[in-house]
Amino acid sequence: MPHPGMQRKPRRPRPPASSRALLCAPPTGSRCTLHAGSSRSVSGVIAAAVADDYGDKDQGRCLRSLLVAPLHPADQPLDVCGFYGIRGHTYYNRKTPSITAGMDEQALLGLNPNADSDFRQRMLSLQPEKTFIRNKAAQVFALLFVTEYLTKWPKFFFDILSVVDLNPRGVDLYLRILMAIDSELVDRDVEARRNTLIKDTMREQCIPNLVESWYQILQNYQYTNSEVTCQCLEVVGAYVSWIDLSLIANDRFINMLLGHMSVEVLREEACDCLFEIVNKGMDPVDKMKLVESLCQVLQTAGFFSIDQEEDVDFLARFSKLVNGMGQSLIVSWTKLVKSGDIKNAQEALQAIETKVALMLQLLIHEDDDISSNIIGFCYDYLHILKQAIMLAVMKKLTYDEEYNFENEGEDEAMFVEYRKQLKLLLDRLAQVSPELLLASVRRVFSSTLQNWQTTRFMEVEVAIRLLYMLAEALPVSHGAHFSGDVSKASALQDMMRTLVTSGVSSYQHTSVTLEFFETVVRYEKFFTVEPQHIPNVLMAFLDHRGLRHSSAKVRSRTAYLFSRFVKSLNKQMNPFIEDILNRIQDLLALSPPENGYQSLLSSDDQLFIYETAGVLIVNSEYSADRKQALMRNLLTPLMEKFKILLEKLMLAQDEERQASLADCLNHAVGFASRTSKAFSNKQTVKQCGCSEVYLDCLQTFLPALSCPLQKDILRSGVRTFLHRMIICLEEEVLPFIPSASEHMLKDCEAKDLQEFIPLINQITAKFKQMFMPLLRAIFEVLLRPAEENDQSAALEKQMLRRSYFAFLQTVTGSGMSEVIANQGAENVEQVLVTVIQGAVDYPDPIAQKTCFIILSKLVELWGGKDGPVGFADFVYKHIVPACFLAPLKQTFDLADAQTVLGPECVQYLQQEYLPSLQVAPEIIQQSLRYRLPSSNEGSGMLSQNGNEQGTRESPHTPGRAALDLAISKMPPMALERPKPGASRSSPVRSSLRIRRPTL
């Protein structure tokens, strides 16, 4: 009968590995040689096993030494295992000083079921041995088991089980032996092959019987002996990791374990046992169902209400159980996603989400042990959350079947914008977990590209798109994606290698083709690492997959990408230059309108091809003569065609034909201009020997400026070419400038002049020359009368005026004031007067501001003794009055935030500046009282019906800086009151007379 009323004892720690290696030699023959110590209360075998760990002075020797060491003289023969019902004895061998355990054959091979009844009686009557003695006995049996089970003791467990039903002490030994065996087979790394064989044999022969014995023990002792029950739960938890889970994860076992969760002395061990069960590997769907069923029962029983639980020890175990259930669900979700079982994966994800609230409750618990036990679930949940978001983004990036690639409308534009938002989300995820993003993209990319021929276009496109997006999601310096971090570089390199060798560039859909070329150009540094792939990619650009694709959209985009690809890999292009130039020859042809031939590329696309050709020639390793020849071969057809088309334009009568011919001429000039982008300055042009070629182009193109037809189109092209030639030829272009300027300024309008000013600006900055013909043409156009209601003409004049003043600002602000000074006194005065007029007379705040900046700069540069003759008089007569006249003009809009006289400015004039000039107070008041901002004007305020209050303006209004600087440069002057009767039409001009002092 079991001992009733036994209280639960603290859980025993598993014995350390160092104390388990207790078997010195396997038993041989019919006699088993073991060692024993001097203890007389138990078997010498057990006592000796204890000796090494507990350090008794007579037992403090290792097991092997005790085999040969002499015993204490008082030692007497003892029963070996009689306490446990094993027939045998020990005695002292005086000839060979060692302990020998003599067992008959039957005792060696198993427990003797016919042992004398007195041994069984002793099991009932003797006091329980100390815990460490029982543990050592279990370890000895475990060591005997692993040595003899496969050969001499196959019925080990059956023999043990034959005496288990005697009493709790037998059950105790049985459970301890099982734990010791598990430690030998699972916890130790030595003899791995032997241990695996033993476990396989146990699964075949005895595990079901052992499981049945555990169930019987739990059922018999759960209410009477908590210690034995907890031991059995520990055994179940230990063995469940390597036995068939169905033997444990069934209704009868799970229900019993859940029942133990309600028993205070059992629930901690029950928690641990359930934890081991849910941690057991199994089918993901079955695991999900098992965990969910456990959660439902636990939640119904109130275990999820942790606020009402005061036992922190139990909560620590329960937190570990919740952690195990959460992690098991996450493992199941991962497996289901990989297998493509979306439905069950979604259910697993929902099951995980229902545990988040409980997870957070346990995480924030004040007890650190409870909180730390749930951290694994938190970490994995964050990981799965990032994975889930990444998968969602990858899915939503996919095009719909209805997307119209040929005629993109509003819906398509909205989806493109939506894709940009998804990209930003992916970039944020990359900041949090770049390794996860890289691994996810690599998995999707590799699986898709393996079978791209049979995969839908939208899936292929999004796989390549994800690779493209990684470049910005995982940014590096100067696009160095294939150096630095080895794992990242290796992953990207593998994906790029797959992209260029898989043949996916031949996919028959424009979206896939475009994404291929976009990605190739984005990762151009890959081809410096693996240049062997360049020929295949060049062929993709040049054949029907790229520049000769059936889709104009693909051809157009490919032309731009091809130009970028060649420029980024110019050093690697040398072996292919001749071949590329030959293959693109037909794409360079200038297509006049009358031939009826529709070119593969538009004129805008051809610009990129010409630029590519120029880059290939200039960056090649050919000699200067060879480069010159190649450049001439490239540009000569353009010049010849230009001359023919210009003659046709002069003779053309139909206006539509004139326009088409002018467009074609403009394209020819543009193509030639685009080839010069390969040069950075005159030096590179000379090194390539191409100066003569471009001078020939100038002589060919400039006659177009004298053509009276389609002037706007022709002048635009030639101006662009001149801009480039100033950079490439520098002073060699100067002989052509007068003639070109004369033609462009002839019969020009305000818009023409406005477009011509940047060219003159460039010439002035480059050669420190100023061209008065341009300025006179500007003055003439601005003085032309315009119809009162012609708003277009008025706007053109305003823009021309702004461009003119911006040009002067550039000249004065770039240290080129001498350019103006060298134009002659009359011309300089004329220019300065126009600046004063712009500052005072024209109600254009932008132009006024620019003019005052010019005046301020000129005063700074010329206001001293070394300034031009007469400039001091100009300051007194014009600049200083302008600083007052501008804000006092009726056209000066005080409601405009750009010109408003703020209170601080008025206060400055009234209290500081004008009194410093000795202006009488009544004159100051008269001059400023009408200029003070009212409640709904000035100060930037809105009217009373406005919605917001303005802010105070800075005192630095137009003219303030110029005035300050002018006064600082002026010599002392006297101000005198006006004579009686003087006109007072203008408060300042009539009341103040500035005079030079008498020196």
XYZ file of all heavy atoms in Angstrom, residues 306-307 309-310 312 315 360-372:
153
model
N -4.257 36.462 -14.951
C -3.056 36.387 -14.108
C -3.068 37.422 -12.999
O -2.316 37.313 -12.031
C -1.785 36.531 -14.967
C -1.766 37.901 -15.649
C -1.691 35.433 -15.991
C -0.481 38.180 -16.382
N -3.918 38.457 -13.143
C -3.977 39.466 -12.081
C -4.494 38.894 -10.770
O -4.214 39.426 -9.693
C -4.872 40.623 -12.518
C -4.282 41.381 -13.693
O -3.043 41.294 -13.868
O -5.030 42.037 -14.433
N -3.802 35.868 -9.671
C -2.905 34.816 -9.200
C -1.789 35.436 -8.364
O -1.093 36.352 -8.800
C -2.302 34.055 -10.386
C -1.368 32.935 -10.003
C -2.028 31.887 -9.115
O -3.050 31.320 -9.560
O -1.543 31.677 -7.988
N -1.614 34.908 -7.147
C -0.602 35.439 -6.243
C 0.650 34.577 -6.174
O 1.679 35.019 -5.669
C -1.202 35.581 -4.835
C -2.374 36.562 -4.769
C -2.938 36.679 -3.373
O -2.451 35.935 -2.480
O -3.853 37.498 -3.155
N 3.755 33.481 -7.424
C 4.686 33.883 -8.473
C 5.472 32.701 -9.014
O 5.891 32.712 -10.182
C 5.643 34.983 -7.968
C 4.889 36.257 -7.661
C 6.407 34.514 -6.742
N 3.265 31.263 -11.577
C 3.181 32.168 -12.718
C 4.458 32.120 -13.560
O 4.411 32.277 -14.778
C 2.923 33.596 -12.256
C 1.463 33.960 -11.946
C 1.360 35.409 -11.520
C 0.571 33.704 -13.152
N 1.700 40.316 -23.246
C 2.051 41.630 -22.718
C 1.807 41.717 -21.214
O 2.580 42.356 -20.490
C 1.245 42.710 -23.452
C 1.570 42.877 -24.946
C 0.646 43.895 -25.579
C 3.019 43.284 -25.140
N 0.749 41.070 -20.744
C 0.490 41.048 -19.303
C 1.643 40.394 -18.547
O 2.086 40.882 -17.504
C -0.818 40.306 -19.011
C -2.073 41.122 -19.280
C -3.312 40.340 -18.885
O -3.701 39.381 -19.558
N -3.922 40.736 -17.787
N 2.111 39.276 -19.091
C 3.219 38.578 -18.441
C 4.525 39.358 -18.578
O 5.363 39.350 -17.674
C 3.375 37.184 -19.046
C 2.211 36.218 -18.793
C 2.340 34.985 -19.675
C 2.165 35.812 -17.327
N 4.690 40.052 -19.691
C 5.926 40.798 -19.919
C 6.072 41.959 -18.935
O 7.177 42.247 -18.474
C 5.959 41.332 -21.358
C 7.204 42.113 -21.769
C 8.434 41.224 -21.738
C 7.026 42.717 -23.156
N 4.977 42.608 -18.606
C 5.060 43.776 -17.724
C 4.884 43.398 -16.255
O 4.798 44.286 -15.397
C 4.003 44.821 -18.118
C 2.583 44.263 -17.924
C 4.215 45.295 -19.533
C 1.494 45.297 -18.154
N 4.826 42.089 -15.955
C 4.659 41.676 -14.560
C 5.848 42.166 -13.737
O 6.993 42.206 -14.198
C 4.535 40.150 -14.473
C 3.962 39.673 -13.180
N 4.709 39.565 -12.035
C 2.698 39.277 -12.841
C 3.954 39.109 -11.053
N 2.716 38.928 -11.524
N 5.565 42.513 -12.493
C 6.619 43.079 -11.651
C 7.705 42.068 -11.298
O 8.830 42.437 -10.969
C 6.000 43.630 -10.363
C 5.279 42.586 -9.542
C 4.630 43.164 -8.299
O 4.581 44.394 -8.165
O 4.151 42.364 -7.479
N 7.387 40.764 -11.374
C 8.391 39.743 -11.082
C 9.239 39.508 -12.333
O 8.717 39.191 -13.411
C 7.711 38.435 -10.656
C 8.719 37.392 -10.194
O 9.050 37.380 -9.008
O 9.192 36.611 -11.054
N 10.556 39.633 -12.206
C 11.447 39.531 -13.363
C 11.473 38.129 -13.951
O 11.632 37.962 -15.165
C 12.867 39.950 -12.974
C 12.963 41.438 -12.682
O 12.019 42.161 -13.037
O 13.971 41.855 -12.083
N 11.344 37.090 -13.113
C 11.358 35.722 -13.633
C 10.170 35.488 -14.548
O 10.295 34.863 -15.615
C 11.339 34.718 -12.482
C 12.649 34.697 -11.716
O 13.676 35.109 -12.303
O 12.649 34.284 -10.543
N 9.022 35.975 -14.153
C 7.820 35.823 -14.983
C 8.002 36.568 -16.301
O 7.676 36.057 -17.376
C 6.592 36.351 -14.220
C 6.352 35.496 -12.963
C 5.354 36.342 -15.109
C 5.283 36.038 -12.044
N 8.531 37.776 -16.206
C 8.721 38.580 -17.415
C 9.761 37.970 -18.344
O 9.562 37.903 -19.563
C 9.135 39.999 -17.011
O 9.372 40.797 -18.148
N 10.864 37.498 -17.788
C 11.944 36.964 -18.630
C 11.529 35.689 -19.346
O 12.018 35.403 -20.443
C 13.191 36.705 -17.783
O 12.945 35.704 -16.806
